Amino acid sequence: MATPLWTPSEDRMAPTHMRAFMRLAGQRAGRSFDDYGALHAWTVDQPEAFWQAAWDYAGVVAETRGETIIVDKNKIPGARFFPEARLNYAENLLRQTGGAPAMIFRREDGLSSTWSWDELRAFTAKIAHALDQHHIGEGDRVAAYLPNMPEAIGAMLGAAAGGRVWSSCSPDFGTQGVLDRFGQIGPKIMFTVDGYMYGGKRIDIRPKVTEVAKALDSCDWVVVIPFLDEEPDLTGIPRAISLKDFLSWSEPADLTFKQLPFDHPLYILFSSGTTGVPKCIVHRAGGILMKHYTEHLFHTDVHVGDRLFYFTTLGWMMWNWLAGGLASGATLMLYDGSPFHPGPNVLWDYIAEEKCTIYGTSAKYIDAIAKEGLRPRETHDLSAMRAMLSTGSVMVPEAFDYIYEHVMPDGQMASVSGGTDLCGCFISGNPLGPVWRGELQVPSLGLAATVFTDEGAPAAVGEKGELVCTNAFPSMPLGFWNDPDDEKYRAAYYERFPNVWCHGDYAAVTEHDGFIIYGRSDATLNPGGVRIGTAEIYRQVEQLNEVVEALVIGQEWDNDVRVVLFVRLREGLDLDDALTQTIRQRIREGATPRHVPAKVLQVTDIPRTRSGKIVELAVRDVVHGREVKNKEALGNPEALEQFSGRAELAG
């Protein structure tokens, strides 16, 4: 019988927030909760009691909570949480004071800084007051075209303190990619930098900033934060002002927090935009606060003083998730640059030296360091690290093996799944439960996440289907920007199954009440009418030492669909008949004959979004001669050229 890769000891479980919350919930429910399954069922069955208890446990800072917890709880969408509450998101994130570190920053070239809680609060106050003085007020959009730097966190908090709406892109976005996003929401101000570093190169973005500023008629100010040079030349950038000058125009003032409704907009996040202009997803301040409190406290077990590091950029929702860790008292570890420069151990050096306790990354990064042969536990002191998180794509079972053998032999490996759509997770970690190889641990508290068949019935254990959520939750979006009748919003999540959120992931529930994700539903393959998840093929192929990474699509062929696999091989290798046969045999033995690709083709690069996700749909369009609607959403759009007009796919 299979055994877990890790099971928490009683000493590990005793001080967790989850254990303490179980006691609180049990007192209020008049019963005891002995395991996660019982607690989760209660949070779904009694949502008013759960969300009230979560509010109280977190100690949410608010002018008032009100008596009503949920209105129209059975409307999906349409339910409203804490409709009488008045609070401020930034105030909750700045609860800590003093000289302890709030943020630790490092750039790939070694540039570093540490901000105390008092320093972060002081900077936030300056930003908030300067925005007031420049007549940027409640509801106005504040755009950020920034690296993952401390000033970005401070600017977001300063914006939120006055009820402004924050939206961000990372500086690697091209001009059109930025305009596809910010051009839809009309920001009144944009924070940016002169440039950034990546892979040892200094990349000046002032020409891009100039073009963006010229096109954003709504933008009154372009505030440039020096990042490459101490005093960069801003000549030619419309309405540009240095951060120093922007802040100097305002008199020093105390930091005040505008008390706003729970549903006041906080963030506008963007879909990847690989199938058209990105959707602008509007998130409510109270909903994000409550979702992140539950994920950080209960699922990730963040305590005051923990050092929380997620390798991310401002173009990925994990930056917003990371920022929310301040509310739980975590010290944020920020990193900007390549995770492999000046060498493959750069992040592990940072983790070890700063005694990171909780580290999050992408599944692709874990695959990459495993292929690289890194053995971090042998080369670094990782004794402070008690948990890892992974998301962004499917984490294959072999990656779990790698983590427990070569990185973290005693700790919680939480593969999680959710997205920009809810700025959080449907499937989360559980510090009280075992980690099973290849499985995501548990559905998130308060979310009735499960799997449906195509007919809309609950799938059996092990049966593949659509990942859904059958109840309302606080971080459901307010809607999409410029979608007054919610037509696009409803079409995105609620048309497949009435009154149910359909997330678009192909998944199954396991015998351990965990989950396996098999890839995106819209990218599943259907050869002979049999539905196959792309992750099932990736798992087999990427175990081969010769293969660095792969991408698979279904090609329309002879009134059916055939599986086509593209592989990027190690440098210097060519795809010959012997390796092709090895790949096919590995897939046949590890999956089924139906998974075996009809064609295996070599490429030198795999196209991906700027947050690192491979873009199967864009490649499928190229192979079928269809236009890719938004190449600006890709970090390496030139890679698509290798998939166009391939003679091998004509026969």
Side-chain angles (χ1 to χ4, degrees):
M1 182 177 178
T3 58
L5 291 172
W6 178 77
T7 301
S9 65
E10 179 56 35
D11 288 346
R12 180 69 69 93
M13 293 188 287
T16 61
H17 286 297
M18 186 79 84
R19 180 66 69 78
F21 184 70
M22 279 183 168
R23 290 193 293 269
L24 173 65
Q27 291 167 6
R28 296 194 175 185
R31 53 177 289 196
S32 62
F33 293 105
D34 297 325
D35 58 36
Y36 183 85
L39 177 68
H40 178 264
W42 174 77
T43 69
V44 170
D45 294 340
Q46 303 294 328
E48 294 95 342
F50 165 61
W51 289 108
Q52 181 175 337
W55 176 296
D56 294 343
Y57 184 92
V60 174
V61 180
E63 182 180 84
T64 181
R65 187 188 68 195
E67 296 298 319
T68 305
I69 307 302
I70 313 176
V71 174
D72 293 330
K73 67 179 180 181
N74 295 320
K75 290 182 67 176
I76 308 175
R80 294 187 60 209
F81 291 76
F82 301 101
E84 300 154 7
R86 295 190 71 82
L87 53 78
N88 186 277
Y89 179 79
E91 186 174 15
N92 279 272
L93 270 62
L94 291 171
R95 296 165 64 169
Q96 306 295 318
T97 59
M103 296 185 291
I104 300 168
F105 168 71
R106 187 175 297 191
R107 195 169 68 181
E108 68 167 41
D109 62 344
L111 177 73
S112 63
S113 63
T114 299
W115 289 35
S116 71
W117 287 99
D118 284 350
E119 288 170 330
L120 174 57
R121 191 179 186 91
F123 183 81
T124 298
K126 291 178 182 179
I127 291 287
H129 194 54
L131 289 169
D132 287 340
Q133 294 298 302
H134 288 78
H135 307 292
I136 298 160
E138 180 181 331
D140 287 336
R141 273 76 63 210
V142 175
Y145 189 20
L146 291 173
N148 186 20
M149 60 197 304
E151 290 85 350
I153 300 283
M156 180 275 288
L157 293 171
R164 306 163 189 98
V165 186
W166 175 268
S167 196
S168 63
C169 291
S170 53
D172 57 330
F173 274 68
T175 301
Q176 192 57 50
V178 176
L179 292 175
D180 284 347
R181 289 158 175 79
F182 296 162
Q184 295 188 69
I185 65 174
K188 287 194 71 174
I189 189 170
M190 182 173 72
F191 290 92
T192 188
V193 287
D194 53 331
Y196 66 101
M197 297 199 68
Y198 197 88
K201 298 178 181 177
R202 290 166 52 94
I203 302 170
D204 186 350
I205 69 165
R206 286 173 297 177
K208 293 194 294 186
V209 171
T210 300
E211 293 304 310
V212 169
K214 286 179 179 177
L216 287 179
D217 296 335
S218 65
C219 192
D220 295 334
W221 301 97
V222 177
V223 181
V224 182
I225 304 170
F227 197 55
L228 290 182
D229 299 313
E230 289 187 11
E231 295 187 6
D233 183 3
L234 307 184
T235 303
I237 303 176
R239 305 176 296 285
I241 183 173
S242 70
L243 176 66
K244 179 180 178 181
D245 287 343
F246 177 71
L247 297 180
S248 70
W249 284 16
S250 60
E251 294 296 325
D254 291 336
L255 179 58
T256 59
F257 300 102
K258 183 169 287 191
Q259 300 301 301
L260 300 158
F262 188 90
D263 283 354
H264 186 78
L266 169 71
Y267 290 141
I268 298 176
L269 302 183
F270 304 100
S271 65
S272 61
T274 53
T275 57
V277 177
K279 297 186 288 287
C280 307
I281 305 169
V282 185
H283 285 292
R284 61 195 93 204
I288 294 299
L289 183 66
M290 292 305 298
K291 184 68 174 121
H292 289 176
Y293 263 135
T294 59
E295 292 191 6
H296 290 131
L297 292 173
F298 306 141
H299 293 289
T300 314
D301 199 40
V302 175
H303 291 259
V304 173
D306 265 328
R307 298 201 162 185
L308 178 63
F309 176 30
Y310 215 105
F311 179 70
T312 184
T313 73
L314 269 72
W316 190 18
M317 56 129 309
M318 292 312 301
W319 180 85
N320 307 79
W321 186 94
L322 176 64
L326 292 170
S328 298
T331 297
L332 306 187
M333 290 176 58
L334 311 177
Y335 183 87
D336 197 74
S338 167
F340 293 101
H341 184 86
N345 276 308
V346 62
L347 295 187
W348 297 105
D349 295 342
Y350 184 32
I351 288 166
E353 290 164 16
E354 297 297 345
K355 295 179 170 53
C356 173
T357 55
I358 302 168
Y359 169 49
T361 187
S362 67
K364 283 296 179 186
Y365 174 77
I366 296 173
D367 291 342
I369 62 171
K371 288 277 186 182
E372 193 75 25
L374 265 61
R375 304 291 184 262
R377 64 175 291 200
E378 299 173 13
T379 56
H380 295 75
D381 178 5
L382 305 179
S383 57
M385 192 169 72
R386 67 173 189 270
M388 281 187 65
L389 291 85
S390 170
T391 192
S393 59
V394 176
M395 185 172 167
V396 298
E398 290 74 20
F400 284 78
D401 299 336
Y402 170 78
I403 292 298
Y404 280 103
E405 184 175 355
H406 298 298
V407 181
M408 182 184 64
D410 182 22
Q412 179 193 3
M413 179 63 246
S415 177
V416 300
S417 182
T420 302
D421 321 79
L422 69 158
C423 199
C425 301
F426 282 116
I427 316 298
S428 295
N430 174 19
L432 303 184
V435 174
W436 295 90
R437 185 174 187 264
E439 296 185 19
L440 290 70
Q441 284 182 287
V442 291
S444 300
L445 290 176
L447 277 68
T450 188
V451 175
F452 271 10
T453 66
D454 288 343
E455 292 73 35
V461 170
E463 184 180 8
K464 298 169 188 174
E466 295 287 343
L467 180 65
V468 299
C469 186
T470 62
N471 70 336
F473 50 93
S475 69
M476 296 171 75
L478 274 170
F480 294 166
W481 193 260
N482 287 334
D483 184 25
D485 297 323
D486 284 341
E487 182 179 347
K488 295 178 182 177
Y489 173 47
R490 290 177 179 276
Y493 310 112
Y494 309 107
E495 284 190 347
R496 179 76 185 274
F497 306 114
N499 214 42
V500 169
W501 176 298
C502 184
H503 193 54
D505 278 346
Y506 191 45
V509 177
T510 74
E511 61 180 330
H512 308 117
D513 296 322
F515 288 77
I516 296 175
I517 306 293
Y518 294 98
R520 293 292 296 170
S521 298
D522 52 11
T524 55
L525 313 171
N526 291 278
V530 177
R531 204 170 181 198
I532 293 173
T534 54
E536 299 171 90
I537 295 176
Y538 296 141
R539 176 190 174 187
Q540 302 304 323
V541 176
E542 293 179 1
Q543 289 180 57
L544 296 170
N545 188 56
E546 298 90 341
V547 179
V548 176
E549 60 181 342
L551 183 147
V552 64
I553 65 165
Q555 182 192 13
E556 297 164 11
W557 187 257
D558 195 22
N559 297 316
D560 196 356
V561 172
R562 66 178 180 182
V563 178
V564 178
L565 176 68
F566 299 94
V567 293
R568 180 166 77 89
L569 304 179
R570 286 191 176 277
E571 190 171 349
L573 294 183
D574 291 317
L575 183 66
D576 56 19
D577 290 343
L579 181 53
T580 299
Q581 183 57 33
T582 297
I583 291 171
R584 285 181 165 144
Q585 188 63 26
R586 183 57 179 260
I587 295 170
R588 180 182 300 275
E589 293 176 354
T592 73
R594 289 190 178 275
H595 290 73
V596 177
K599 298 283 185 177
V600 182
L601 305 176
Q602 184 174 0
V603 292
T604 59
D605 199 7
I606 300 289
R608 59 187 71 251
T609 66
R610 296 183 184 277
S611 61
K613 298 177 183 178
I614 61 174
V615 286
E616 296 150 324
L617 297 185
V619 169
R620 192 171 70 189
D621 284 341
V622 167
V623 165
H624 290 101
R626 298 189 288 262
E627 179 186 1
V628 177
K629 295 181 180 178
N630 193 3
K631 292 183 180 179
E632 280 289 335
L634 305 182
N636 55 341
E638 67 283 354
L640 287 174
E641 297 172 8
Q642 298 186 60
F643 301 85
S644 177
R646 299 282 299 240
E648 304 98 321
L649 296 179

